[in-house]
Amino acid sequence: MGGIHTSSGVFEYFRYTPSVPAAATFIALFSLTTALHTYQLARTRTWILLPLVLGGYCEIIGYIGRILCSAQAPNFTIGSYLLSSLLALLAPALFAATIYMSLGRLIRATSAAALSPIPPQRLTALFVAGDVLGLAVQGAGAGVMTAGSLADFHAGEKVVVAGLAVLVGSFALFVGVAAVFDVRMRRAARSSSSSSSSSNNNNSSSGGECGLDWRADLRALYLGSGLVFVRSVFRLVEYAQGNAGWLMEREWTFYVFDAVLMVAVMVLFNGLHPSRVEALVSGGRYVEKGGWRIGEVRTEKEGGGESV
């Protein structure tokens, strides 16, 4: 098997031969959802989606790397191993950045900054900074691994675990902040008169067909966050178990707890696209529910919203 073999220990790049059909399936799935995201981004110019789109391309390249590794079995090379492992490891941190920025936009769109435990501007900066930190730490761990010795690989694993721990902690705090905002919004809606509730805190906002349903948007953020959180906990446990751990020896766990969940995140935001919230904040085009049709919200100076 390809890896590092010394008298003091062994580090195997893979403890199985990567499945070509499984990798090809997820190349196709990620390609489809990423292509749609690319179209949606080009039409709406919702730049908070750029990290998620870049993450999609990282996933595609990472699974291509798994096919290359399968062709090399059992004599895997470090280059193909790093290509297949690290891009799939780092991509969800890019997904997280989009999720963090989306909550800040949602708070602004509801004009309910006072109900957020952290001001929207600071909220976005805080969590994106935590995300970048986790990404940087994981990247540093990957850099240590490239040195190639057994000690470097084991040290790099520990650094990657630290980076994953930062992401897991950041996500847990983020969900807590979103939950506090959710509870406060619901209390404000109940305490308001029916007319005040419908105009300020309920399911509609100016913008024609782009009416804001903040509850649905929050549910999408909860679901997306939950999927990335479960995946991050899985990878944290996987790396913490070490190169000879139970999870590292079983490829199916990678597909169930990483690949499937990350495809689900991308498909989720194809259908419940954050551009609807962004359009209500600053005007512009948005993706209508379903993921394909494009609508537009115009400012008061330009006139009402219309479909494009």
Side-chain angles (χ1 to χ4, degrees):
M1 298 281 287
I4 307 298
H5 298 253
T6 70
S7 58
S8 59
V10 173
F11 186 100
E12 296 288 2
Y13 295 151
F14 287 98
R15 293 184 177 270
Y16 51 78
T17 299
S19 168
V20 171
T25 297
F26 280 91
I27 288 172
L29 292 174
F30 277 113
S31 295
L32 288 172
T33 182
T34 302
L36 180 53
H37 271 296
T38 302
Y39 165 79
Q40 292 170 331
L41 179 64
R43 292 297 307 275
T44 67
R45 299 181 183 274
T46 307
W47 300 117
I48 63 172
L49 268 292
L50 182 59
L52 185 138
V53 174
L54 293 176
Y57 285 108
C58 286
E59 295 278 13
I60 294 167
I61 297 171
Y63 285 95
I64 292 174
R66 292 183 76 88
I67 291 179
L68 295 177
C69 287
S70 182
Q72 295 172 349
N75 300 311
F76 306 111
T77 63
I78 186 172
S80 57
Y81 164 73
L82 292 176
L83 178 68
S84 64
S85 298
L86 297 181
L87 289 179
L89 179 67
L90 300 178
L94 297 173
F95 298 170
T98 288
I99 293 173
Y100 294 150
M101 290 186 284
S102 295
L103 179 60
R105 297 300 197 280
L106 179 60
I107 294 172
R108 289 175 59 194
T110 57
S111 301
L115 300 181
S116 172
I118 302 175
Q121 299 86 346
R122 293 182 181 178
L123 181 150
T124 298
L126 173 65
F127 287 108
V128 170
D131 193 55
V132 171
L133 175 61
L135 189 63
V137 173
Q138 291 179 79
V144 172
M145 288 182 176
T146 60
S149 72
L150 180 64
D152 291 327
F153 270 96
H154 286 311
E157 278 188 321
K158 292 182 174 63
V159 176
V160 169
V161 167
L164 288 167
V166 170
L167 291 180
V168 169
S170 181
F171 251 112
L173 180 59
F174 172 78
V175 172
V177 169
V180 170
F181 173 72
D182 189 2
V183 170
R184 289 177 178 178
M185 281 286 287
R186 293 176 187 275
R187 286 177 179 172
R190 287 195 298 267
S191 63
S192 299
S193 65
S194 58
S195 60
S196 175
S197 177
S198 62
S199 62
N200 293 319
N201 289 323
N202 216 339
N203 294 340
S204 63
S205 180
S206 60
E209 295 179 11
C210 190
L212 176 65
D213 184 351
W214 63 265
R215 292 180 177 87
D217 287 306
L218 262 181
R219 285 194 294 269
L221 292 182
Y222 282 144
L223 180 55
S225 299
L227 292 171
V228 177
F229 181 80
V230 170
R231 173 265 172 198
S232 297
V233 170
F234 161 71
R235 297 310 294 267
L236 176 61
V237 173
E238 180 187 42
Y239 273 84
Q241 286 183 348
N243 182 251
W246 190 88
L247 293 174
M248 284 286 188
E249 294 178 341
R250 291 160 175 82
E251 186 178 24
W252 68 264
T253 62
F254 169 78
Y255 281 100
V256 171
F257 295 108
D258 191 315
V260 170
L261 302 188
M262 294 306 93
V263 165
V265 170
M266 296 201 70
V267 172
L268 170 68
F269 290 113
N270 279 135
L272 295 174
H273 202 268
S275 60
R276 296 188 309 113
V277 175
E278 183 76 6
L280 288 173
V281 172
S282 54
R285 294 177 176 179
Y286 67 94
V287 177
E288 297 181 1
K289 288 184 177 180
W292 188 254
R293 293 188 60 200
I294 304 297
E296 184 174 2
V297 173
R298 295 185 177 181
T299 63
E300 292 182 2
K301 182 178 180 181
E302 295 172 327
E306 65 181 39
S307 293
V308 177

